[in-house]
Amino acid sequence: MVNKPVLVESLIVFTIVLCVHAVVWDRYSWCAVALAIQAFYVQFKWDRLLQQGGAVFQFRATANSGLLPASVVIPMLGIAMKERCKATGIVYFERFGIVVASTGMLLALFLSVIAVGITKPVPTNTCILTGVAGSIIIYTMKHSLTVSEVIEVLEVLLIFVYLSMILLYLLPRCFTPGEALLVLGGVSFVLNQLIKRSLNVIEGRGDPIDFFLLVAVVGVILLGLFFTVLFIFMDSGTWISSMFFHMMTAVLGLGVIMPWLYRLIQRNPLFWLLQFLFQTQTRVYLLVYWTSLAASACGIVFYQNAKRSSESKKHQASTVTRKYFHFIVVATYVPGLIYDRQLLYVAAVLCLAVFIFLEYIRYFRIKPFGQTLRYLLSLFLDERDSGPLILTHIYLLLGMSLPVWLFPRSCAPKGTLPGAGALVPYAGVLAVGVGDTMASVFGSTMGEIKWPGTKKTFEGTMTAIFAQIIAVALILIFDSSVNLNSSYAWILVSVSLVSLLEAYTTQIDNLLLPLYLQIMLMV
């Protein structure tokens, strides 16, 4: 029997796809629409495989496959980037957008072929649809990409295949197929970009903060893979293993990651970072303010755990309590977006590296803080943290940061895009910090009318839309660089569709919603 919430979710995604390509229709749009149609059919094959336990790896059991929502994100992001850079005449980044779109289509098509290949009996109609979509995509790529760009796309696909085999085996039940496509596809693309830029270093070319993001992401991922292999052969919970962990972290950081970053930016990374962070008085004020917010977040964690210790019955953090962190993140990002986006960019990269490193300490039970972190964070677990890793706080950081990191600065005159595009860096704040938070808080406390087939409420969704419109009005008041140029109807449509998607999706909304809102605003 067809799952009705999945059908509604698919309808919302198709509506977003059609809205986007109604604005930027070209030959790549045919590929994106064909990809979405075949992903819709293949999604049900993945769902059946997950229900029957026939998937190759263990995926998160509390959600559907999410193939359709995830399949169209990277292609649409690349197409939107291409159109923005084409309008400003930046040919290099226009070609880069085409490569991003082609890579996303090929990765999604590969995941669809895997599902069709392991489904028994072979689904003939779905195979035909996948073949037709694949033919359209490959034909378009053949006439759009240069030989070097084709090689780059294939390199990302190869990295994605190997990363998927390694990480999905090592981290069972941490992802759905759609989440794996987004996360591992993004990591694969970042790794390929870092390798490409490391082999073609030109002094003075490239922004150091972009290199900092690439090296930090790849560095912490490689660090995790190294220790995962190492602790297969030794107990990670002993003091000897913990000392070895800290020693090897220092060796790999100072001996591999720092020289790698030095090669790319052609200066001492530590000196560059310190000079960057304390370059202006505004940055010092922002850092002090962010430090106080981080301390308040830690205070909430300790306070909630103290409540758990004082109660005889099992205590678990409520939805409202977990949303406190959303409020703190909004209070963190908004001043950074208004006063210094470059500082926010670098600070978000540092926070991501710290979060992942602390998760390694918790996961491997590294002394002296491993067991303490396990105890403290277990209070905030929900049904999405069904695997060995706790990823919801990392997804929250990613959801807020991706619109800042993926903002096409080189294609934005005067540092901002015209019309609704001026709100692109605020996509995470609007979708997750305001919309998702308001929907959860008001829906769980005052909501009575539930959307069919879900636990989400009509009141929560309407509150989310209304709150985001108010947030846009406040951004217009406090951020003088934002000029919407009468694109209010498009903003309302974008916010409404993303809020409806939040009501029906079972994927990680902290990761998915900001990307969809960013795409809608960018076109």
Side-chain angles (χ1 to χ4, degrees):
M1 183 177 177
V2 177
N3 192 333
K4 289 184 180 179
V6 175
L7 284 178
V8 177
E9 177 193 46
S10 302
L11 178 62
I12 296 168
V13 171
F14 273 117
T15 304
I16 294 175
V17 170
L18 293 177
C19 286
V20 168
H21 291 287
V23 178
V24 295
W25 188 271
D26 58 13
R27 56 180 163 177
Y28 305 103
S29 300
W30 291 108
C31 300
V33 173
L35 179 71
I37 293 172
Q38 70 86 31
F40 171 74
Y41 282 92
V42 174
Q43 178 172 252
F44 294 105
K45 310 306 175 193
W46 265 115
D47 289 342
R48 187 182 304 168
L49 288 169
L50 296 178
Q51 292 168 4
Q52 298 174 351
V56 179
F57 301 103
Q58 296 182 57
F59 292 99
R60 189 159 60 87
T62 56
N64 61 14
S65 64
L67 187 64
L68 173 59
S71 293
V72 298
V73 167
I74 300 177
M76 287 199 300
L77 191 62
I79 291 170
M81 186 182 301
K82 173 187 77 70
E83 290 299 317
R84 281 296 183 181
C85 295
K86 181 179 179 181
T88 55
I90 311 295
V91 177
Y92 175 82
F93 287 100
E94 179 187 349
R95 301 301 306 175
F96 182 75
I98 295 173
V99 171
V100 171
S102 302
T103 302
M105 292 177 189
L106 203 60
L107 295 181
L109 196 63
F110 172 77
L111 208 59
S112 298
V113 171
I114 292 295
V116 171
I118 61 179
T119 300
K120 302 299 180 184
V122 176
T124 307
N125 294 337
T126 307
C127 284
I128 294 173
L129 275 174
T130 303
V132 171
S135 300
I136 294 173
I137 292 170
I138 292 173
Y139 177 81
T140 304
M141 288 173 59
K142 177 186 174 184
H143 290 82
S144 303
L145 302 179
T146 64
V147 174
S148 61
E149 289 169 343
V150 171
I151 293 174
E152 185 175 351
V153 171
L154 294 177
E155 287 171 350
V156 177
L157 178 61
L158 185 63
I159 295 171
F160 175 78
V161 171
Y162 280 106
L163 269 182
S164 299
M165 290 191 297
I166 295 171
L167 294 180
L168 292 180
Y169 172 76
L170 294 174
L171 304 173
R173 304 179 308 281
C174 284
F175 308 100
T176 64
E179 292 162 5
L181 173 61
L182 284 178
V183 174
L184 301 183
V187 171
S188 302
F189 198 86
V190 166
L191 179 55
N192 184 68
Q193 283 296 306
L194 181 58
I195 294 172
K196 176 184 173 183
R197 298 190 188 195
S198 299
L199 296 175
N200 298 282
V201 174
I202 301 176
E203 186 173 356
R205 182 172 180 177
D207 195 331
I209 66 174
D210 292 330
F211 294 136
F212 184 64
L213 171 63
L214 296 177
V215 173
V217 171
V218 174
V220 292
I221 297 297
L222 293 180
L223 198 67
L225 290 174
F226 173 80
F227 286 118
T228 300
V229 174
L230 177 67
F231 290 135
I232 292 176
F233 305 100
M234 58 191 300
D235 183 7
S236 62
T238 64
W239 274 106
I240 293 177
S241 298
S242 299
M243 292 175 62
F244 190 73
F245 173 89
H246 296 298
M247 182 182 69
M248 289 305 300
T249 299
V251 169
L252 292 173
L254 298 175
V256 177
I257 297 175
M258 297 291 285
W260 201 346
L261 187 56
Y262 178 85
R263 171 176 168 77
L264 291 169
I265 67 174
Q266 300 294 312
R267 68 189 82 170
N268 187 297
L270 285 177
F271 291 158
W272 167 79
L273 183 60
L274 290 173
Q275 181 184 8
F276 179 87
L277 292 178
F278 300 101
Q279 192 170 18
T280 65
Q281 195 171 25
T282 302
R283 291 186 175 180
V284 175
Y285 290 152
L286 283 172
L287 290 173
V288 172
Y289 171 66
W290 289 341
T291 302
S292 65
L293 289 176
S296 65
C298 294
I300 292 173
V301 172
F302 289 121
Y303 173 72
Q304 292 296 326
N305 276 275
K307 285 178 62 177
R308 174 170 63 172
S309 301
S310 63
E311 294 179 2
S312 57
K313 62 179 182 179
K314 185 178 180 181
H315 177 71
Q316 199 71 18
S318 65
T319 300
V320 176
T321 300
R322 286 198 294 269
K323 296 306 175 183
Y324 287 160
F325 298 103
H326 287 232
F327 287 118
I328 291 174
V329 171
V330 170
T332 301
Y333 273 72
V334 170
L337 288 167
I338 293 175
Y339 295 110
D340 198 327
R341 293 182 184 179
Q342 283 198 326
L343 178 64
L344 180 64
Y345 186 113
V346 172
V349 174
L350 287 172
C351 285
L352 178 65
V354 170
F355 276 18
I356 295 177
F357 184 71
L358 289 176
E359 181 58 21
Y360 290 157
I361 292 177
R362 187 206 65 85
Y363 175 65
F364 292 122
R365 306 187 311 278
I366 301 300
K367 295 180 181 298
F369 302 113
Q371 284 298 132
T372 303
L373 284 173
R374 285 197 167 211
Y375 176 77
L376 291 175
L377 295 180
S378 63
L379 177 66
F380 300 94
L381 296 179
D382 60 18
E383 68 277 1
R384 295 174 297 182
D385 292 310
S386 56
L389 295 184
I390 299 177
L391 297 173
T392 46
H393 61 297
I394 297 175
Y395 283 138
L396 175 60
L397 178 64
L398 283 175
M400 301 291 288
S401 304
L402 283 173
V404 179
W405 294 339
L406 299 177
F407 181 74
R409 299 190 309 278
S410 301
C411 304
K414 299 180 181 179
T416 185
L417 295 174
L423 293 174
V424 166
Y426 289 94
V429 172
L430 292 172
V432 175
V434 177
D436 180 49
T437 303
M438 292 296 103
S440 297
V441 172
F442 281 85
S444 61
T445 55
M446 294 184 290
E448 295 182 0
I449 306 172
K450 294 187 181 296
W451 291 106
T454 76
K455 297 179 181 179
K456 306 294 179 68
T457 64
F458 175 81
E459 294 89 343
T461 302
M462 293 301 105
T463 303
I465 296 172
F466 185 64
Q468 288 176 81
I469 298 301
I470 294 176
V472 170
L474 292 174
I475 290 169
L476 279 171
I477 293 172
F478 291 102
D479 192 344
S480 58
S481 66
V482 175
N483 183 7
L484 300 182
N485 295 334
S486 301
S487 53
Y488 303 106
W490 181 260
I491 294 171
L492 179 60
V493 170
S494 303
V495 165
S496 300
L497 287 173
V498 172
S499 297
L500 285 172
L501 182 61
E502 186 275 335
Y504 275 95
T505 189
T506 57
Q507 306 304 297
I508 299 293
D509 48 11
N510 289 348
L511 180 65
L512 197 65
L513 301 183
L515 292 172
Y516 268 98
L517 186 57
Q518 176 177 4
I519 291 166
M520 292 285 288
L521 295 174
M522 196 184 296
V523 297

